[in-house]
Amino acid sequence: MGDMVVVRKEGLYCVPGGFYIDPWRPVERAVITHAHGDHARYGHGKYLTAASGVHVLRSRLGDINVDGLEYGQTVVHNGVTISLHPAGHVLGSAQVRMEHQGEVWVASGDYKIEPDKTCAPFEPVRCHTFITESTFGLPIYRWEPEQSIFDDINRWWKKNAEEGRCSVIFGYSFGKAQRILSGLDPSIGPIVCHGAVEPLNRVYREGGIMLPPTLMVSDVDKAALKQSIVVAPPSASGSPWMKRFGDYSDAFASGWMQLRGARRRRGVDRGFVLSDHADWPGLMSAIAATGAQRIIVTHGSIPVMVKWLCQQGLDAAGFDTEYGDDDDDVGIAPQPAAEGEQAVEQQESKDA
């Protein structure tokens, strides 16, 4: 029996099932792990996604033919039993479990291990073959607990408010922005959201996710803006829209902020290391929890992770995909191959 999932020009293809997973070109049947633009694209005939992600998908793609599947519920298509399981990435994100003739494959999409208040927590799924992302697949990436990052953000905002300066924090409009909002202390001042963020806030609230009250910039007078925090997509940086905030302090929330020079390249006052992807320990723990002996690595640090996993005795290889990085909304993500190799060697020395 050949591989259950292969790469075609349209995307990842389940051979016996006759469907695609997060395809990047139009296909008849697509199973979508989550609604970020590099995984969910317009033009497919039929969509299947997690029930909690249906409204998000429609808000981003418009009027599409989409069915929602509750986490853990199964459907059978062409003899393949399909179920979706929480990925902990963003609202509605899912891993795709496929079972056929006793063989189980799981495609992770994007995922993170640390739970947060804006989506269902990651659920390890036992399988024979695990297709994993590797966005932050280098040992140098190790996240601090979420609450400590939120505490830093609130301290920064409070200090700025006391000095009469508006605080502006940039983060991806779907997922990252809502996670930032979930950790803000509304007693400090008004919370303002960019026009690209607010529609997604509504979808989250309709999905039962608790977020603090938010305002549009037109709803806040000039004096109150000096005590405000503004949540905006990275594309707003340097735009005419920013001029209304006067003397503001800005920050960028991304896992890339852990890498030297990333904040400098962004030209912001502060960098907060907050990612909706698993860090290196998270990737390793997720892989181990699946019990899979075969690992296929996609988008990110593929060569480094494949090498490391093979050294751990696993059958590892990579898939060449067209997935990008939702953390890299403005192209700041570096490709530190040499640094990554050095980091793996350092980790191997520590583990020896």
Side-chain angles (χ1 to χ4, degrees), residues 121-348:
F122 177 85
E123 176 188 297
V125 182
R126 303 287 291 184
C127 57
H128 299 100
T129 300
F130 184 52
I131 303 173
T132 179
E133 65 140 313
S134 62
T135 303
F136 292 100
L138 297 173
I140 55 176
Y141 293 113
R142 296 168 185 267
W143 311 146
E144 294 295 323
E146 175 190 78
Q147 189 57 52
S148 70
I149 305 301
F150 288 155
D151 290 344
D152 284 346
I153 292 173
N154 284 316
R155 279 192 293 267
W156 167 74
W157 175 20
K158 186 175 182 180
K159 182 176 183 295
N160 290 333
E162 290 171 349
E163 295 173 355
R165 300 178 74 199
C166 180
S167 302
V168 181
I169 185 165
F170 298 111
Y172 198 78
S173 58
F174 167 42
K176 180 65 62 62
Q178 291 73 36
R179 190 176 176 201
I180 291 169
L181 289 170
S182 75
L184 295 180
D185 177 3
S187 70
I188 298 173
I191 300 173
V192 177
C193 285
H194 186 276
V197 173
E198 191 60 29
L200 276 304
N201 295 346
R202 288 195 291 270
V203 173
Y204 267 66
R205 291 184 177 109
E206 290 167 0
I209 305 301
M210 297 295 293
L211 298 176
T214 54
L215 301 166
M216 299 293 285
V217 67
S218 58
D219 299 326
V220 184
D221 63 42
K222 193 169 183 179
L225 276 179
K226 294 182 178 180
Q227 279 73 48
S228 298
I229 188 167
V230 179
V231 181
S235 57
S237 178
S239 70
W241 184 79
M242 296 295 300
K243 294 179 180 178
R244 68 196 69 196
F245 304 119
D247 179 27
Y248 62 84
S249 177
D250 57 1
F252 194 90
S254 168
W256 300 116
M257 292 296 103
Q258 186 165 315
L259 199 69
R260 290 191 305 268
R263 189 186 77 183
R264 184 177 65 250
R265 287 192 293 274
R266 271 303 297 161
V268 291
D269 299 326
R270 288 291 303 270
F272 295 108
V273 184
L274 185 70
S275 178
D276 291 326
H277 296 263
D279 61 0
W280 176 266
L283 290 166
M284 295 303 112
S285 66
I287 290 168
T290 68
Q293 290 301 301
R294 185 180 182 197
I295 310 298
I296 299 174
V297 183
T298 68
H299 57 302
S301 304
I302 296 175
V304 173
M305 265 190 65
V306 167
K307 176 183 177 182
W308 173 262
L309 293 170
C310 288
Q311 290 173 344
Q312 309 314 302
L314 296 171
D315 178 8
F319 270 170
D320 184 17
T321 71
E322 294 187 15
Y323 304 134
D325 169 34
D326 47 84
D327 256 355
D328 183 26
D329 196 36
V330 288
I332 64 164
Q335 299 296 327
E339 188 172 359
E341 293 287 353
Q342 183 180 11
V344 169
E345 292 171 2
Q346 292 171 349
Q347 186 68 26
E348 290 171 346

